[in-house]
Amino acid sequence: MPYQPRIDLDQPVRDRLMLRTVPGAVDYLAEDLRTLPATVVRRGPDRLVVDYAGPLRPLAAVRYFDVCAVELGALDTSLKDGALAALRPADGPVRFRVGEQLGEQRWELRDRLVDGYGWRNDPGSWDVNLEPHGAELGALYLTQRYGELRRTPASTNPIVGAVLVRLAKIQPGQTVLDPFCGAGTLLVLAGEMAAPGPVLGADVQSRWLSLAAENVAARGVPATLVRADARRLPVRSGSVERVLANLPFGKRVGSHRVNEDLYPGALREIARVLPGGGRAVLLTDDKRLFRETVQRTPLLRVIKEVVLARGGLHPSAYVVSKRGR
Ligand SMILES: C[S@@+](CC[C@H](N)C(=O)[O-])C[C@H]1O[C@@H](n2cnc3c(N)ncnc32)[C@H](O)[C@@H]1O
């Protein structure tokens, strides 16, 4: 379904907004904001606080934040000419919920919103979710702006995925392959954020390939999906300019033992399918094994590492290039 936000994206607003991202992705968020009417006033490991002055539409297109919130102390001013003033509830008053983490403060806040603002407390279907870090605007959640994908238990976080695609520097028409595609998150993001030629995905698990098929179809990204082992891909040598993958970390998916065999085989195969000058962007938390394996794989070298954090882990995105032209 197309994004039908319960907020007027074309109404100019003036507000201080907290944008939450993933540790390691803050620079990419800041880079995307550079061309927007946004001034960064605070920077945290997983967020930026910005003074924003203008319509929200260009902000809503940014992929590097998942939550946008108004500070709890600034609700009144936001209601005057800020993001809260741009809310357009489906019918009736603005609906809200108050998160449990606000503790005893919850009741006072709830009464203030009901009695002072005429909002309706509706924890089941709300426009604004109040949490200690601020009043989250439901219409600006990443999942609302870009839609939710079907997921496997190890699916790639979409902000992390957007960083991987950015690092891949996909040129128009280039062939893109994810040899560990799971539910196809990276294929969808590559198709949406770049203008690739053929998009290919492989995975050993048919059930994840079914989810990938649903995801690429739902998002209109034409892709070829095959059940294959990343160590033996049915792909011609030198035919794939960009490889993207979230590798099994050997923690929740697979094990370090399995990776000791998997990584050398998969990297050899990546070296085979890339042409000289080709590039792979690979995410892993099994870092020492990964770096040692790249060193032992002829023609490949790591040219950049970006540490990202997610769910208690600190995986790195490695940009690997193949020598030659
Ligand atoms: C971390 S997940 C990838 C998640 C994916 N990017 C997504 O968003 O759903 C790793 C994937 O590698 C697959 N896998 C494990 N061993 C494999 C192998 N030898 N060849 C191909 N795929 C493999 C798993 O089935 C799993 O889907």
Side-chain angles (χ1 to χ4, degrees):
M1 241 203 0
Y3 173 43
Q4 291 172 326
R6 292 187 190 173
I7 195 163
D8 183 349
L9 295 175
D10 297 312
Q11 174 174 314
V13 305
R14 189 172 281 280
D15 215 336
R16 178 159 291 189
L17 302 172
M18 186 282 288
L19 305 173
R20 190 184 71 184
T21 183
V22 163
V26 175
D27 286 344
Y28 298 94
L29 174 59
E31 210 173 301
D32 268 19
L33 294 177
R34 226 167 269 156
T35 53
L36 270 51
T39 309
V40 176
V41 292
R42 245 188 351 263
R43 203 185 155 98
D46 70 343
R47 64 198 55 200
L48 289 178
V49 177
V50 299
D51 278 342
Y52 194 87
L56 292 166
R57 190 172 292 282
L59 183 67
V62 173
R63 289 185 185 261
Y64 298 98
F65 70 91
D66 58 358
V67 169
C68 172
V70 173
E71 287 172 356
L72 292 185
L75 298 183
D76 286 350
T77 49
S78 182
L79 262 174
K80 253 183 236 130
D81 59 359
L84 293 180
L87 289 175
R88 297 290 179 271
D91 51 71
V94 171
R95 285 176 286 197
F96 70 94
R97 84 178 270 277
V98 185
E100 283 171 20
Q101 284 190 33
L102 280 163
E104 290 307 306
Q105 213 189 323
R106 279 155 79 200
W107 316 119
E108 189 198 321
L109 193 55
R110 188 193 62 188
D111 292 346
R112 194 175 124 213
L113 299 178
V114 172
D115 301 335
Y117 297 171
W119 288 9
R120 189 194 304 156
N121 184 20
D122 188 347
S125 165
W126 38 267
D127 305 294
V128 178
N129 177 37
L130 293 110
E131 297 290 347
H133 58 239
E136 300 177 349
L137 303 162
L140 293 183
Y141 284 146
L142 184 62
T143 47
Q144 286 290 308
R145 294 180 285 125
Y146 280 101
E148 238 163 320
L149 291 171
R150 303 290 310 273
R151 297 175 57 81
T152 79
S155 271
T156 312
N157 170 278
I159 297 179
V160 171
V163 172
L164 301 186
V165 172
R166 177 95 141 229
L167 291 169
K169 297 193 172 160
I170 300 164
Q171 304 301 310
Q174 286 187 328
T175 300
V176 175
L177 162 73
D178 180 350
F180 295 90
C181 75
T185 314
L186 301 177
L187 305 177
V188 168
L189 293 174
E192 290 181 342
M193 294 174 63
V199 173
L200 317 171
D203 201 285
V204 277
Q205 298 245 28
S206 309
R207 57 189 171 146
W208 303 150
L209 287 167
S210 308
L211 296 185
E214 277 184 50
N215 283 334
V216 294
R219 299 282 275 256
V221 174
T224 304
L225 303 170
V226 288
R227 181 158 173 266
D229 190 308
R231 292 165 288 195
R232 286 177 293 280
L233 295 166
V235 173
R236 267 187 304 113
S237 302
S239 66
V240 171
E241 287 95 354
R242 294 293 184 263
V243 173
L244 281 169
N246 176 359
L247 305 175
F249 290 179
K251 291 186 173 141
R252 285 169 205 153
V253 178
S255 68
H256 178 70
R257 267 278 160 75
V258 170
N259 283 352
E260 283 177 334
D261 178 62
L262 179 61
Y263 281 19
L267 281 163
R268 226 178 294 123
E269 196 62 344
I270 288 170
R272 180 183 72 77
V273 301
L274 285 174
R279 166 181 282 235
V281 180
L282 306 168
L283 184 78
T284 182
D285 203 37
D286 206 342
K287 302 187 191 191
R288 184 195 286 202
L289 173 65
F290 179 83
R291 276 196 233 100
E292 286 173 0
T293 309
V294 172
Q295 269 171 12
R296 283 202 303 269
T297 309
L299 300 178
L300 294 189
R301 69 190 168 109
V302 172
I303 57 171
K304 185 172 178 154
E305 176 180 354
V306 176
V307 182
L308 295 150
R310 202 63 209 156
L313 300 175
H314 293 82
S316 283
Y318 290 97
V319 182
V320 173
S321 83
K322 180 173 169 181
R323 288 194 196 91
R325 28 169 66 224

